[in-house]
Amino acid sequence: MELNTLLFSVENGIATITINRPDKMNALNKEVIADLSSAFDEVYTNKEIKSVILTGAGQKAFVAGADITEFIELDAAGGANIARIGQENVFNKIENCPKPVVAAVNGFALGGGCELAMCCHFRLASENAKFGQPEVNLGLIPGYGGTQRLTQLVGKGKAMEMCMTAQIADANEALAIGLVNHVTTLDALLQKATDILTIINTKSPMALSKIIACVNKAGKADGFETEINQFGECFGTPEMKEGVSAFLEKRKANFG
Ligand code: COA
């Protein structure tokens, strides 16, 4: 797997994927989108990987958006194409990843950067993180799922205001509106993500993948039905037998 724009490492079952264009604020150009798609294909299939931290290189930006330099030549079909390819190959692939994916937001998360953080299963932020959907300043709207996922995370009124004003939320505002779960110092960010994933990695991988599938269905017509079916599918699996037996035998479950 050749990745020119990402750093990719695996330690103790945690893959750390770092978008590595710090001189361009880690902006998402076509190559980054293609590399992210390949990196998450690897996450889906590599049995050594149990969970993922997604972050940005440097101390200033997680991702400052889609690469604006690629926009100027595009017509309507080209614009739709860039949004469709990104959503299908990266943003939806991350959201539906059967292994937990945490965004460690280490600076600007604007436009496509905010959208990238939002397609992860949850988000941590360093104190210098800044979130926003400033596309309206460019005569654009969010195109990587921002109008949908921001609304799901913070509610319709706040999402409307953020997209309409291009206002930037700092880390503590993001915490207050539920966009991030924790705020740390920049130095402590990756360790905090590692600590949370170290706990998660002791849990049943089968159950984790079903939690992701069900929570992703929240608010959709088949959400409750999905939960019923996924709950049922847990029964009789080796992991469910191990978890329940461990409780009854007063020992810690070992899911391998
Ligand atoms: N696309 C392409 N290049 C970008 C970029 C983006 N989204 N965001 C930053 N860059 C580039 C800058 O053009 C600059 O490149 P240069 O050194 O070749 O001139 C470099 O990254 C550093 O950015 P700079 O603007 O000098 O840093 P700053 O600290 O003054 O400002 C931001 C940081 C994030 C506030 C500012 O870069 C910005 O507003 N970026 C665009 C945010 C945006 O609108 N995103 C939504 C896109 S749809």
Side-chain angles (χ1 to χ4, degrees):
M1 185 180 47
E2 197 185 317
L3 303 169
N4 290 325
T5 64
L6 306 180
L7 306 175
F8 190 109
S9 63
V10 184
E11 203 180 331
N12 298 325
I14 301 174
T16 301
I17 300 175
T18 308
I19 299 158
N20 191 27
R21 295 183 78 208
D23 54 329
K24 296 291 176 191
M25 299 277 165
N26 301 320
L28 302 175
N29 62 9
K30 282 188 189 135
E31 196 178 9
V32 179
I33 293 292
D35 282 352
L36 281 169
S37 177
S38 304
F40 276 90
D41 286 342
E42 175 70 13
V43 168
Y44 270 62
T45 53
N46 184 335
K47 291 195 168 39
E48 203 195 320
I49 298 172
K50 290 183 153 191
S51 57
V52 181
I53 299 171
L54 183 59
T55 193
Q59 307 210 320
K60 286 182 83 172
F62 172 69
V63 166
D67 192 318
I68 300 169
T69 61
E70 291 183 346
F71 284 179
I72 194 74
E73 303 293 343
L74 292 177
D75 60 10
N81 199 41
I82 222 171
R84 189 175 306 284
I85 288 173
Q87 291 201 19
E88 287 175 358
N89 293 353
V90 175
F91 293 73
N92 295 348
K93 194 182 283 181
I94 294 174
E95 183 170 59
N96 295 320
C97 181
K99 303 171 184 180
V101 183
V102 175
V105 180
N106 56 307
F108 288 109
L110 303 180
C114 189
E115 291 167 302
L116 189 65
M118 291 192 295
C119 74
C120 296
H121 298 136
F122 59 92
R123 287 144 293 284
L124 317 181
S126 55
E127 292 158 336
N128 63 319
K130 294 196 168 22
F131 296 82
Q133 297 291 159
E135 291 88 347
V136 71
N137 290 337
L138 303 170
L140 284 169
I141 68 167
Y144 285 146
T147 60
Q148 307 303 298
R149 293 196 180 95
L150 187 61
T151 304
Q152 288 163 1
L153 284 167
V154 306
K156 193 170 165 184
K158 195 70 200 167
M160 286 279 195
E161 186 184 347
M162 285 180 73
C163 291
M164 288 176 173
T165 62
Q167 111 200 15
I168 304 298
D170 67 20
N172 286 322
E173 288 164 355
L175 184 66
I177 62 176
L179 197 47
V180 305
N181 292 10
H182 302 276
V183 177
T184 71
T185 61
L186 186 57
D187 284 348
L189 181 65
L190 291 183
Q191 189 56 52
K192 178 74 180 175
T194 303
D195 290 348
I196 295 175
L197 288 179
T198 300
I199 294 170
I200 290 175
N201 284 357
T202 66
K203 312 300 182 193
S204 155
M206 177 274 299
L208 291 170
S209 71
K210 290 183 180 307
I211 287 166
I212 292 166
C214 290
V215 175
N216 281 343
K217 288 279 187 181
K220 298 190 176 146
D222 56 348
F224 287 95
E225 196 57 30
T226 300
E227 189 183 274
I228 290 166
N229 291 330
Q230 296 281 317
F231 178 75
E233 283 179 20
C234 295
F235 285 80
T237 62
E239 289 181 35
M240 186 267 190
K241 282 187 181 146
E242 166 61 12
V244 172
S245 305
F247 177 81
L248 296 174
E249 292 162 15
K250 300 193 186 306
R251 63 175 173 83
K252 237 177 154 208
N254 180 0
F255 295 110

